[in-house]
Amino acid sequence: MRRYVGGAPRPRDAADRKFQAGLRRPESERPVDVATIYKPEGRYIGRCGVYPHFGTPGEGSLGFYLARAYWGRGLATEAGRTFVSFGFNELSLSRIVTAVEIGNDASVRVLEKLGFALVRTEPGEYRSFYHFELLP
């Protein structure tokens, strides 16, 4: 999972501290981020959600992070559909955006299935990104 989102896995205590810090954010800045459980195994496999797109009221950013063993099963697409619907229907967002590191073709395919459109490419020295948007 970290291959395309950067950083390194955190020890449990560091993950707990980061999670608790997120709970102390103002409600308007708090991500709608949920643990993703693979029901047939009752196993935590990642997290998915819609996050505030900081500085742009009414916009959210879609994120899905799943353990590699669960890739290719349609789970990211299923989670993405759920959070796109939640973002537009429950949060009344006017736009949902997301960025994907160039090379992460599987995530690009998920976004295309969800109806996202590529709006720009951001070249970088070490990492480059595609930026996508979805309107209601």
Side-chain angles (χ1 to χ4, degrees), residues 55-85:
T56 311
E59 292 191 3
S61 180
L62 177 68
F64 44 87
Y65 311 94
L66 300 175
R68 182 182 202 113
Y70 296 88
W71 293 359
R73 301 183 189 197
L75 301 173
T77 303
E78 181 180 348
R81 268 194 200 104
T82 299
F83 282 102
V84 163
S85 176

Side-chain angles (χ1 to χ4, degrees), residues 53 59 95-100 108 111-112 115-122 129-135:
H53 190 208
E59 292 191 3
R95 179 176 175 233
I96 298 176
V97 299
T98 194
V100 174
V108 169
L111 295 172
E112 289 170 343
F116 278 79
L118 178 65
V119 292
R120 70 184 174 94
T121 300
E122 176 189 358
F129 295 89
Y130 295 125
H131 292 267
F132 291 86
E133 75 173 357
L134 182 64
L135 302 172

Side-chain angles (χ1 to χ4, degrees), residues 2 13-14 28 37 84 111-112 126-127:
R2 290 277 179 190
D13 62 328
S28 63
I37 308 295
V84 163
L111 295 172
E112 289 170 343
Y126 300 104
R127 296 172 74 192

